[in-house]
Amino acid sequence: MVRPSDSAAPPAPLVAEDALRLPGLDAPLALRWTLPAGEPIALVLHLHAGAFTAGSPAEGERMAGLLAAEGARVASLAYPLSPAMPFPQPVEAVHAALDWLHRQRRKLKAERLPLLVAGEEAGGNLAAAAALAARDRCTPPLHGQVLLSPMLDACTATASLRDARAGEPGCCWAEGWRRYLARACDALHPYATPGRAMRLAGLAPALLVTAEDDPLRDETRAYGQRLRQAGVAVDEVVLSAPTGWPQSHRAPGEAPWSAELGPPLRAFLQARRAAAGGLAGCRPRPAPRPG
């Protein structure tokens, strides 16, 4: 791993570039570390926005920086993009990266830290899918998931999406879904569309974040309700407008909504750290792998 420059000074997050080789991929994936100024309270795999077809860890610096500012050691992954690598390849790469991060905890001096996955928009979809896979495959032990305006349902028919004219020609989310799901039957798989997953019990605690002006607001809140009904611990935050979510996730610089999101995000990370020692293990069983 390339160490951050000695010239970088707190409280600005320290950033380092790395590369990760995963099974089944010909080329390594870029990994961008964003480190907190003080001692970390959590280890987080972060997944950027981009409607499955665009984006990068550098373009996800807003959320990675906020996670680091609230105490997380963040690894942002340049997961495979569609249509070159459609479902299930991005999900498998994200789960493999999450498992790798868990196995690196001793090397990272993070053995006592809770492991979480976080993502916004398409990254939120992959974070939710990775949480499902971690539960089904019993690896890695996951302490929490942070989903910010996640893309959870390929139908794009909620009221908040209709208000944003989603599904019409030129709609980035409808086009992203078409490129991500190479086969129509892929939309039936829970790892592709977590919002339609039938079995949610046993998932890691979740922080779901949306906004008053977020076109993905309805599916985010509906997923939170279904998680609660399945017995999953859920914290929910609805940010005040305007946020420009989810398009503004990829904008550079500090976000105006950071001050509002910071306290509940830190509280969630701290709660996951407090609970990390009591995470129950499970016996590995065959995983329902996608197509």
Side-chain angles (χ1 to χ4, degrees):
M1 181 178 75
V2 179
R3 294 186 178 278
S5 169
D6 293 336
S7 64
L14 306 177
V15 177
E17 303 295 336
D18 205 348
L20 178 60
R21 288 194 173 274
L22 295 174
L25 295 177
D26 294 334
L29 300 178
L31 197 66
R32 180 182 172 97
W33 295 92
T34 308
L35 313 179
E39 288 296 316
I41 62 174
L43 184 60
V44 178
L45 180 69
H46 168 248
L47 308 164
H48 61 80
F52 300 112
T53 65
S56 68
E59 290 181 312
E61 67 177 359
R62 268 191 168 183
M63 197 59 224
L66 181 55
L67 284 161
E70 299 306 328
R73 181 169 187 166
V74 184
S76 297
L77 180 70
Y79 56 83
L81 298 178
S82 300
M85 299 187 74
F87 177 82
Q89 292 177 81
V91 175
E92 295 300 330
V94 168
H95 179 261
L98 190 62
D99 199 46
W100 174 87
L101 196 59
H102 168 67
R103 289 185 279 105
Q104 295 297 309
R105 292 201 300 171
R106 175 174 294 182
K107 182 178 179 180
L108 297 171
K109 295 180 171 41
E111 293 173 285
R112 296 182 179 273
L113 300 183
L115 177 64
L116 293 87
V117 63
E120 55 269 19
E121 198 229 34
N125 171 289
L126 295 173
L132 286 164
R135 178 204 60 188
D136 294 340
R137 302 171 186 179
C138 283
T139 183
L142 191 63
H143 298 79
Q145 51 181 319
V146 180
L147 312 180
L148 303 108
S149 55
M151 293 175 66
L152 297 170
D153 192 340
C155 187
T156 65
T158 64
S160 60
L161 276 167
R162 290 198 304 271
D163 289 344
R165 299 182 179 274
E168 296 185 4
C171 168
C172 62
W173 303 296
E175 182 62 24
W177 280 115
R178 281 193 291 270
R179 291 173 178 265
Y180 181 55
L181 304 177
R183 302 173 302 175
C185 63
D186 288 339
L188 302 177
H189 200 289
Y191 294 0
T193 53
R196 291 181 172 248
M198 299 300 294
R199 190 171 64 88
L200 299 175
L203 288 174
L207 172 63
L208 272 72
V209 186
T210 184
E212 292 174 354
D213 60 340
D214 179 14
L216 302 173
R217 180 183 65 252
D218 289 351
E219 61 193 275
T220 302
R221 303 203 71 177
Y223 193 56
Q225 182 177 0
R226 294 191 60 229
L227 287 172
R228 290 190 193 93
Q229 292 172 345
V232 177
V234 176
D235 293 344
E236 190 172 332
V237 177
V238 181
L239 300 176
S240 305
T243 63
W245 278 19
Q247 294 95 327
S248 65
H249 283 302
R250 296 168 60 195
E254 185 176 348
W257 38 261
S258 296
E260 187 178 355
L261 179 54
L265 181 57
R266 175 169 281 268
F268 184 76
L269 295 177
Q270 290 175 332
R272 303 283 60 78
R273 184 182 188 184
L279 189 71
C282 66
R283 180 176 301 173
R285 57 182 178 271
R289 290 184 176 272

